């Protein structure tokens, strides 16, 4: 039942001992409980926790594609840790085809959604990706952010955007009022 699974999940999360130090049976039970909570209750935190176990091969065979699917499910629910980890994987191309614009955009969205306890590590991932981004990747990331902001009903602010893309050379050209006006040929 729902309360039993939730209690089991809470007990797993409350444990201060990392899974790698627990016995194999406990890791397998944890994976089963997380899979149950993630599948039947749609618990985003359980989906994220399960994804990290699958990604690291703890209690289950390592399977980056399955982990990414769980991260995607949790990300769609607005769960910032999942958004940050999935964004980092997309940025780096780990277990998935590299999509740097989407990855950086998802990292920016995670920064918008993140709880204070997770902010330091999410900020580190974002800052690293943003510092490595090309102008094209920045444009792609900001397009991703704009689409997400529209879907979520957020105001699109400079704070939400990664960085302003570099201005085009035409924007930098000084205005010269002495330049001749173009002439147009009138066709009859």
């Amino acid at each position: 039942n729902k309360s039993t699974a939730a209690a089991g999940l809470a007990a797993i999360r409350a444990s201060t001992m990392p899974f790698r130090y627990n016995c194999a049976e406990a890791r397998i039970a944890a994976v089963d409980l997380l899979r149950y909570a993630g599948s039947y209750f749609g618990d985003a935190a359980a989906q994220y926790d399960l994804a990290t176990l699958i990604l690291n091969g703890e209690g289950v065979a390592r399977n980056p594609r399955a982990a990414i699917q769980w991260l995607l499910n949790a990300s769609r629910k607005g769960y910032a840790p999942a958004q940050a980890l999935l964004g980092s994987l997309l940025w780096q191309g780990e277990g998935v085809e590299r999509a740097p614009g989407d990855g950086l955009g998802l990292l920016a969205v995670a920064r918008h959604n993140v709880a204070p306890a997770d902010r330091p590590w999410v900020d580190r991932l974002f800052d690293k990706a943003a510092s490595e981004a090309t102008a094209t990747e920045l444009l792609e990331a900001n397009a991703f952010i704009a689409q997400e902001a529209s879907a979520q009903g957020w105001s699109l602010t400079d704070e939400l955007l990664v960085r302003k893309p570099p201005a085009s050379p035409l924007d930098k050209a000084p205005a010269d009022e002495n330049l001749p006006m173009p002439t147009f040929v009138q066709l009859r």
Side-chain angles (χ1 to χ4, degrees), residues 93-172:
E94 289 183 27
V96 66
E97 184 177 333
R98 187 168 189 265
D102 291 348
L104 183 55
L106 197 52
L107 283 164
V109 169
R111 277 183 39 160
H112 182 268
N113 292 333
V114 73
D118 292 318
R119 180 162 294 284
W121 70 267
V122 171
D123 282 347
R124 275 193 307 275
L125 290 176
F126 173 81
D127 291 341
K128 181 178 185 317
S131 70
E132 298 170 356
T134 66
T136 300
E137 292 165 345
L138 290 172
L139 288 171
E140 291 171 353
N142 286 331
F144 180 95
I145 293 165
Q147 184 177 13
E148 184 67 17
S150 175
Q152 298 298 326
W154 301 335
S155 295
L156 190 58
T157 63
D158 283 341
E159 184 178 299
L160 187 57
L161 296 173
V162 177
R163 278 190 295 220
K164 290 185 180 179
S168 77
L170 295 176
D171 293 341
K172 293 182 182 178

Side-chain angles (χ1 to χ4, degrees), residues 13 38-39 42-52 66-86 106 109-110 113 148 152:
R13 287 202 189 121
S39 296
D43 185 305
Q47 292 169 341
Y48 168 78
D49 290 342
L50 179 60
T52 59
I68 286 168
Q69 188 59 51
W70 286 109
L71 288 172
L72 184 59
N73 290 339
S75 292
R76 288 180 175 148
K77 293 177 177 82
Y79 191 64
Q83 291 170 329
L85 183 53
L86 181 57
L106 197 52
V109 169
N113 292 333
E148 184 67 17
Q152 298 298 326

Side-chain angles (χ1 to χ4, degrees), residues 181-188:
M181 291 297 291
T183 58
F184 298 100
V185 177
Q186 190 172 23
L187 298 175
R188 292 182 194 226

